[in-house]
Amino acid sequence: RIGSATSQSSAVINDRLQELVKLFKERTEKVKEKLTDPDVTSDDESPAASPTAAPPSAPGDALAGDKAAGDEHYCEMLCCAFKCRPWLDRLKSYQFPSSIDPLTNLMYVLWLFFVVLAWNWNCWLIPVRWAFPYQTPANIHFWLLVDYLCDLVYLLDIIVFQTRLQFVRGGDIISDKKAMKENYLRSQRFKMDVVCLLPLDFFYFKVGVNPLLRFPRCLKYMAFFEFNNRLEAILSKAYIYRVIRTTAYLLYSLHVNSCLYYWASAYEGLGSTTWVYDGEGNSYIRCYYWAVKTLITIGGLPDPKTLFEIVFQLLNYFTGVFAFSVMIGQMRDVVGAATAGQTYYRSCMDSTIKYMNFYKIPKTVQNRVKTWYEYTWHSQGMLDESELLVQLPDKMRLDIAIDVNYNIVSKVALFQGCDRQMIFDMLKRLRSVVYLPNDYVCKKGEIGREMYIIQAGQVQVLGGPDGKTVLVTLKAGSVFGEISLLAAGGGNRRTANVVAHGFANLFILDKKDLNEILVHYPESQKLLRKKAKKMLKNNNKPKDEKGGPGDPLIIPPKADTPKLFKAALAAVGKAGGKGHLVQLRWKLRELKAMQA
């Protein structure tokens, strides 16, 4: 029993001593590191990040969640249960917004589409109904029904939508209901909208249903141009819509000219001369064909006979030359704007080829240059991404850089724990570079001045006796060369060759740019230097020749007693005291005797 109690106490003492030894060693290492490394000022490895406040939750979120869970309706039929969307209840509980942002609200763009649809009905059909005999007493009810539906759309646009549009005053976005209404009532658009809805239809009772009385409805052209601007802002390929719109301008001018030609023919008398329309076939198609030949000045038309016909034909020719030249110029501008990037790419490539031919560059080099141009253009649609962001404010460029590059840079071990704003500043300094297959990204022994982040593609790290053995393949999201950014004293030389396996798109961060950023973040600078030294120390640590790091130890070596602890025990022994240290010293002697 005495032996068992002694062995148990010895085991407890041994465990406690091991803990003390471990604590003393850790403290000694920290003190030693503080003395040798001036950058380490505290025990914390990284500066504490400022806590980010959680987004405030709306007070009704929990209630809304319970309500959403409780609003699930099921319709049981036989043995199955079918879930029905309570769209009717949602429609009933829907509240129209008190203010509308005209720049970003898609619902407003959809509403403008219906307004423009009503405007096009008036612009295209009023001349047809006035000139051609398509409006008859038999179908007058259909024409009037669609007319008043368009008037209802105009009225809703004035009362419901235009009075709720936000506006900017003194740099502030005004969303007050009264202020928005007053701003609309004072605008030029309100005056035009009122003129559009002049109730000239009351003259129907006196002169009959004359479509010309609805001509003021065509003055709502501001909605048409606003719809064009909003639609082009949300379309990914806006030039297609511009081409369609320009073509519609040409077709509308031909449409109006065909209506005028039929009116002139009816005024002279159908078939009275060889110049006027003879009244055979489809009247609109034949008049439209005449308008196309006149406005485009194709020729082959019968000569006018009367003075009225001569004057009408001259006006047609002058208008046609002017309108057609304007349409051609506008179409050229639209197509030129759509292909501006392609034109710039072609001019740069042609200039480069001309330069290489002048200096008689080898064909292999020329082919690689051409390949780089073609791949860069087809992969990212431009030669230099930074040119697009030059005109943007610094804050917007930062937002775009965060969305594009933050997920990759935040995973770099070197930058873990650094100031978040320092990472944001670094994102704006990254530049994209494309490497061709078998291109050397960096070579062994050269001075490293950049860090590389793989955006797309793969690179291979080569080594071995011949320098061609693939040690590792790095894929998208990997980082290499980060130690060279902060290494000093000759430690910034490349240790291996890195070659692009295929087409590789890399982000590059220069050492100069990083140093300019770290001037404003001293804590992050100390942390990065400390990490770089540790990484260099681990890379340069020699391997143990006796055994690998993974060799198992059957009996682990016993840790030595710290010198400070031995000195304390010796001092207590000389003093001859009877405290806890004396008892501990006696137990240590007993433990050594048992082990012997």
Side-chain angles (χ1 to χ4, degrees), residues 75-82:
C75 177
E76 296 184 359
M77 181 181 296
L78 298 179
C79 60
C80 301
F82 298 94

Side-chain angles (χ1 to χ4, degrees), residues 63 69 126 134 203 213 243 290 350 444 460 481 554 595:
L63 298 177
I126 287 177
Y134 292 153
F203 290 99
L213 294 175
V243 171
W290 182 91
D350 294 342
K444 183 177 180 180
Q460 294 178 341
I554 300 176
Q595 290 179 350

Side-chain angles (χ1 to χ4, degrees), residues 137-295:
N139 59 14
I140 190 64
H141 302 289
F142 168 76
W143 294 105
L144 293 179
L145 175 62
V146 181
D147 286 344
Y148 294 133
L149 284 178
C150 295
D151 293 349
L152 179 62
V153 172
Y154 281 15
L155 189 62
L156 290 176
D157 182 60
I158 295 174
I159 298 175
V160 179
F161 285 88
Q162 296 300 323
T163 55
R164 286 178 168 84
L165 293 184
Q166 301 175 4
F167 66 98
V168 179
R169 182 172 59 191
D172 297 330
I173 300 177
I174 307 300
S175 59
D176 181 66
K177 191 173 183 179
K178 183 179 179 182
M180 290 186 297
K181 183 182 294 186
E182 293 178 352
N183 179 71
Y184 172 62
L185 295 178
R186 291 194 302 265
S187 64
Q188 183 70 22
R189 183 164 183 173
F190 171 72
K191 300 176 183 178
M192 297 298 298
D193 290 345
V194 171
V195 174
C196 289
L197 289 178
L198 285 177
L200 300 181
D201 298 5
F202 288 108
F203 290 99
Y204 287 171
F205 297 104
K206 186 174 182 181
V207 299
V209 182
N210 189 349
L212 287 180
L213 294 175
R214 294 187 55 82
F215 180 77
R217 303 297 190 272
C218 299
L219 298 179
K220 201 174 178 64
Y221 59 90
M222 291 186 178
F224 173 71
F225 291 111
E226 184 181 8
F227 173 72
N228 292 332
N229 296 333
R230 301 291 177 262
L231 189 61
E232 290 179 5
I234 62 177
L235 291 177
S236 58
K237 295 183 178 180
Y239 65 89
I240 297 178
Y241 174 72
R242 296 190 189 106
V243 171
I244 296 175
R245 186 183 62 200
T246 305
T247 306
Y249 291 158
L250 178 60
L251 296 178
Y252 182 74
S253 61
L254 296 174
H255 168 79
V256 173
N257 195 31
S258 64
C259 295
L260 292 175
Y261 175 64
Y262 186 87
W263 169 80
S265 300
Y267 178 78
E268 287 284 306
L270 298 179
S272 59
T273 63
T274 57
W275 180 83
V276 299
Y277 170 60
D278 55 4
E280 297 180 359
N282 189 296
S283 58
Y284 181 78
I285 297 298
R286 290 180 177 270
C287 293
Y288 200 91
Y289 173 73
W290 182 91
V292 170
K293 295 181 67 175
T294 304
L295 285 184

